[in-house]
Every structure is written in structure tokens, then in C-alpha cells.
């Protein structure tokens, strides 16, 4: 008899039931974006201050070491985890989370799971005063986008991980082991990743595929039915790639040229509007013919609507990731590390991937996902091949001054 908490429970019906339970709402429901993570070979990251860039980050200079509170893990069997909305596996009735239940059953550690991470900057604004004052945030672990991880490390607001408590960290995909913003993964481990590319509705396009940013911005057949993303990293990154520019090496002149291309498309009426992930409803209905979109959103839409398609532009596309971090003064650091270790079991990570439909960062998870749902396990948007990953990119790391300058220019076009 199959344990309902087993990663293999549900098999081929799991992903479909998950889509229904989620109501086709991804973890991006309440946010304007998450940073591009980057990969030349395989999800190799570059610490950009990318998504939702309205608040330049960083204090400049070397960060102080993160302060540690007395760890109460051995006497208090609890861990407090903040995460994005709709970003974990749930039962059909939505009342429990099987992978969390399995962790508690195995360890005796209760998980207080809170979906209160709605936006990187908004969450940072909540916790920064406490971190700055050397106080406990009430959270033992959360999942920040890579550019925010870079900021937290720089400011000394997150602790180093004790890998003795996370032996499954050996399952981290090789090219994620040494990222620019956290060399050697001393402070963070990835939770999920995904691509930014193009979504389109075949009925709305008259059966035409939309596979390039040039089509989005210039094809008369799409006029007035195109949306771009409100966050700078993915939108500007995709346009830079269309112009043949490397987002990891772009200049001011490159940025200006890409922005001018967007501005002309907007002024011509080609662009309907700029969106967060609220594009999903319009894309499903056909009110939006084509748009810049995130993989997980489109994979979820495809469960109910086969007219919704996704394209990764041949000239390249953007990649992002969210990461586990343990804040300074966390009271249950060891318990948090044991939780991370649980999710670095390939079977457990596959269970999550079957529900959230993003890219799992754990070796062996794709093979386990095939056992749950063969179609999902072979989906290149969830289990990308090395050839697909080789075309993924990230915008280079930005100084606070560059960040503010580029954000002002981009937002002026978005809102103008």
C-alpha cells in the first residue's frame, strides 16, 4: 500500500490534480518578479540586483558576519519557514502539504509554514529593521531570489550553513555549487529555478507561432495584444539578447538601444501593457496573443488549455532562482538545516516540482519526476537539457548606482 506522503504517491495524475488544487496560480501570484539567476553551462548564477529593482540594495563595503542566537533546535522541535505563495506541494483539498508532513513524521520537527513572502523588497522591508537591530525575525529560514541573497550576505544578515546538517547538499547540481553572489554556497542553497521567455495563444495568433522578441515588438498581427513584464531584469535581458547583446556584459549604450526598441513598440500601440504574472488570465482567454512569460505559469496553464504555448527564443532567454537562507539570530538554525536537507532528497524535490512546475536544482530529481509524471519529467521547461540551458542568461551584477539609474529609465517607459 502506498503511503500518501510518499513522493511516488499519485503517479501520473499528480500534476493534473496539483494544477486544479492550485487554481493555476504560481508562486509569482503577488509579486512583480524574481531575479534572473543565470547560467552559461547549467544554472550558473551571477549576483544581479535584478528583479523588482525599485530599491537599490547594499550598504557598500564588507559585510559584518551574521549574528547567531543561541540555537534552541535540540529542545524546541520547531522550524519557522516563510515562502512565496503557492510554491509547495499540497493535498487535493489544500489543507496539508505532504512533503512537510513527511519531514515532521521523520524528525518530529513541526514546521510553521507561512506564505508571507510576497515580494523581495516588501519582505526585506519587514525584516530589515529587526536584522539591523540584531533581533530575531521570528523566522528560521526563507527563500529569497538570488539578487536579494547577494544583498543579505553583503549586509551580514544571513548565517553560514552547517553542511554537516545538510549531507544531501551533495545533490546540488554541479554548476550551482559556486555562484558569484555566494562562492561555494556558504550561505544559500537553491529552492526552485525557472526561465523567462515567450508565451502565446495559438487561437489568438491565428495559429502562428511566436518565437522571438522581434515578433513580439514588431509583428503587425500581434498589435495591441502583446504584454511585457514590469520587472527590468527579464524584460531588458530578453530585448538585449534580441539585439545580439550579452546581458552579462551590456553597456549603457546597449541598455539605451534595448530601451528605445521597447519605447517604439509602446508608442506604436504594439504593447498592450506591462504586467506581473497577471498576464496568465489574458493569455489563457486569448485577450493577450503573446507575451513575455515565466515557465511555471505557462506549464500550469497548459494543463487546461493546449492553445497556450511557450517559446524559448533562439537568441537566448533569462533564468532566475530562489534560494534557502537562514537569517541572523534564527532560534532554530539546525532544524532549518535539517529541513533543507529533506528537500535535497531527489524524491522529495521531485514531489514539489510536480506541483509547482519549476526547475528543481537537485541531481536525480528529474528521474524521480518521470516516475511521478512521465510527461512532466520530460518537459524541457522543467527538466531542461544542457543544450537548452546553454542558451540561458543573466544580467550582470549592478552597482547600487547603476541599479537606480537603469530602474529609473526602465520605469519611465513602463509608466510613461
Amino acid at each position: 500500500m502506498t503511503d500518501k506522503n510518499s513522493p511516488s504517491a499519485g503517479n501520473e495524475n499528480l500534476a493534473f490534480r496539483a494544477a486544479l488544487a492550485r487554481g493555476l496560480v504560481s508562486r509569482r501570484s503577488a509579486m512583480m518578479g524574481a531575479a534572473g539567476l543565470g547560467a552559461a553551462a547549467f544554472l550558473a548564477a551571477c549576483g544581479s540586483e535584478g528583479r523588482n529593482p525599485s530599491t537599490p540594495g547594499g550598504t557598500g563595503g564588507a559585510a559584518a558576519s551574521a549574528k547567531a542566537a543561541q540555537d534552541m533546535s535540540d529542545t524546541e522541535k520547531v522550524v519557522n519557514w516563510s515562502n512565496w505563495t503557492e510554491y509547495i506541494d499540497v493535498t487535493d483539498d489544500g489543507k496539508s502539504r505532504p512533503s512537510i508532513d513527511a519531514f515532521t513524521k521523520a524528525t518530529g520537527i513541526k514546521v510553521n509554514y507561512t506564505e508571507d513572502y510576497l515580494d523581495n523588497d516588501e519582505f526585506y522591508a519587514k525584516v530589515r529593521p529587526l536584522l539591523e537591530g540584531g533581533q530575531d525575525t521570528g523566522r528560521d529560514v526563507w527563500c529569497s531570489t538570488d539578487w536579494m541573497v547577494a544583498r543579505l550576505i553583503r549586509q551580514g544578515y544571513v548565517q553560514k550553513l552547517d553542511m554537516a546538517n545538510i549531507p544531501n547538499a551533495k545533490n546540488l547540481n554541479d554548476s550551482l555549487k559556486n555562484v558569484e553572489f555566494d562562492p561555494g554556497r556558504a550561505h544559500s542553497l537553491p529552492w526552485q529555478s525557472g526561465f523567462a521567455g515567450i508565451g502565446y495563444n495559438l487561437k489568438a495568433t491565428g495559429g502562428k507561432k511566436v518565437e522571438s522578441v522581434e515578433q513580439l515588438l514588431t509583428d503587425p498581427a500581434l498589435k495591441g495584444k502583446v504584454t511585457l513584464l514590469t520587472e527590468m531584469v527579464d524584460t531588458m535581458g530578453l530585448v538585449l539578447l534580441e539585439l545580439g547583446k550579452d546581458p552579462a556584459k551590456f553597456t549603457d549604450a546597449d541598455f539605451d538601444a534595448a530601451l528605445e526598441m521597447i519605447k517604439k513598440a509602446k508608442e506604436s500601440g504594439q504593447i498592450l501593457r506591462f504586467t506581473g504574472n497577471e498576464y496568465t488570465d489574458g493569455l489563457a482567454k486569448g485577450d493577450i496573443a503573446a507575451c513575455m512569460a515565466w515557465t511555471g505559469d505557462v506549464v500550469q496553464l497548459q494543463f487546461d488549455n493546449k492553445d497556450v504555448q511557450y517559446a524559448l527564443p533562439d537568441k537566448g532567454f533569462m533564468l532566475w532562482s530562489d534560494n534557502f537562507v537562514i537569517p541572523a539570530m534564527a532560534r532554530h538554525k539546525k532544524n532549518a538545516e535539517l529541513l533543507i536537507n529533506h528537500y535535497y532528497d531527489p524524491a522529495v524535490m521531485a514531489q514539489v516540482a510536480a506541483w509547482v512546475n519549476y526547475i528543481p536544482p537537485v541531481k536525480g530529481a528529474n528521474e524521480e519526476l518521470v516516475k511521478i509524471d512521465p510527461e512532466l519529467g520530460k518537459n524541457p521547461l522543467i527538466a531542461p537539457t544542457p543544450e537548452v540551458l546553454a542558451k540561458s542568461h543573466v544580467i550582470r551584477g549592478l552597482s547600487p548606482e547603476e541599479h537606480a539609474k537603469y530602474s529609473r529609465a526602465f520605469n519611465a517607459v513602463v509608466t510613461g
Side-chain angles (χ1 to χ4, degrees), residues 216-217 222 224-228 270-273 288-291:
L216 276 181
L217 299 182
L222 303 176
K225 292 187 176 183
V226 170
T227 62
L228 307 186
Q270 182 76 7
I271 299 173
L272 175 64
R273 60 181 177 271
I288 296 171
C291 60

Side-chain angles (χ1 to χ4, degrees), residues 73-335:
S73 293
D74 289 338
T75 56
E76 297 180 359
K77 294 299 183 181
V78 65
V79 60
N80 301 304
W81 179 10
S82 284
N83 206 359
W84 303 84
T85 59
E86 306 295 339
Y87 208 20
I88 199 168
D89 55 306
V90 295
T91 53
D92 292 347
D93 60 11
K95 293 182 179 180
S96 64
R97 303 174 176 92
S99 64
I100 289 180
D101 293 344
F103 172 73
T104 299
K105 182 178 180 180
T107 64
I109 299 170
K110 177 184 178 183
V111 181
N112 294 319
Y113 184 83
T114 307
E115 295 182 332
D116 62 344
Y117 201 123
L118 305 180
D119 173 276
N120 279 292
D121 280 326
E122 182 269 343
F123 188 83
Y124 177 77
K126 288 192 297 188
V127 299
R128 180 176 180 175
L130 297 168
L131 294 167
E132 197 168 31
Q135 301 178 54
D136 176 22
T137 65
R139 301 164 175 90
D140 301 304
V141 63
W142 63 64
C143 297
S144 286
T145 305
D146 61 343
W147 63 270
M148 180 57 73
V149 174
R151 181 188 296 182
L152 294 169
I153 293 172
R154 186 169 60 246
Q155 294 178 324
Y157 289 163
V158 292
Q159 300 186 55
K160 285 189 174 182
L161 302 175
D162 183 351
M163 293 302 175
N165 295 324
I166 316 175
N168 284 339
K170 68 181 186 294
N171 295 326
L172 176 63
N173 285 319
D174 289 340
S175 62
L176 280 172
K177 291 179 178 179
N178 190 36
V179 294
E180 183 187 31
F181 65 87
D182 186 16
R185 286 290 180 184
H187 301 83
S188 66
L189 283 168
W191 166 242
Q192 301 290 320
S193 300
F195 295 132
I198 297 171
Y200 59 98
N201 186 309
L202 282 172
K203 280 189 176 179
T205 65
K208 179 190 290 187
K209 293 181 180 181
V210 182
E211 299 177 311
S212 73
V213 172
E214 181 179 14
Q215 281 180 273
L216 276 181
L217 299 182
T218 64
D219 189 339
L222 303 176
K223 187 172 183 178
K225 292 187 176 183
V226 170
T227 62
L228 307 186
L229 297 168
T230 51
E231 43 101 350
M232 180 180 69
V233 168
D234 287 340
T235 294
M236 293 304 296
L238 285 166
V239 179
L240 284 165
L241 288 164
E242 178 61 39
L243 294 175
K245 306 298 181 181
D246 184 348
K249 300 177 181 177
F250 75 93
T251 64
D252 283 356
D254 296 334
F255 186 92
D256 290 343
L259 196 61
E260 183 63 24
M261 189 175 184
I262 295 172
K263 185 177 179 181
K264 286 182 178 179
K266 182 179 180 182
E267 290 175 346
S268 72
Q270 182 76 7
I271 299 173
L272 175 64
R273 60 181 177 271
F274 293 78
T275 74
N277 86 316
E278 65 270 21
Y279 64 79
T280 54
D281 185 59
L283 182 61
K285 292 178 179 177
D287 298 333
I288 296 171
C291 60
M292 291 183 178
W294 292 299
T295 48
D297 291 336
V298 175
V299 172
Q300 291 165 23
L301 289 175
Q302 288 175 329
F303 285 119
D304 283 345
N305 190 339
K306 295 304 181 183
D307 288 320
V308 175
Q309 299 292 312
Y310 198 83
L312 295 173
D314 190 60
K315 290 187 177 181
F317 41 90
M318 304 305 291
L319 180 72
W320 55 266
S321 184
D322 297 325
N323 309 270
F324 284 115
V325 292
I326 296 176
M329 305 304 293
R331 291 173 56 85
H332 309 100
K333 181 175 183 288
K334 180 180 177 181
N335 291 347

Side-chain angles (χ1 to χ4, degrees), residues 352-373:
V352 175
W355 287 74
V356 303
N357 303 149
Y358 287 107
I359 301 170
V362 174
K363 290 179 183 178
N366 290 339
E367 291 79 0
E368 294 294 332
L369 184 56
V370 169
K371 298 176 185 178
I372 295 173
D373 187 309

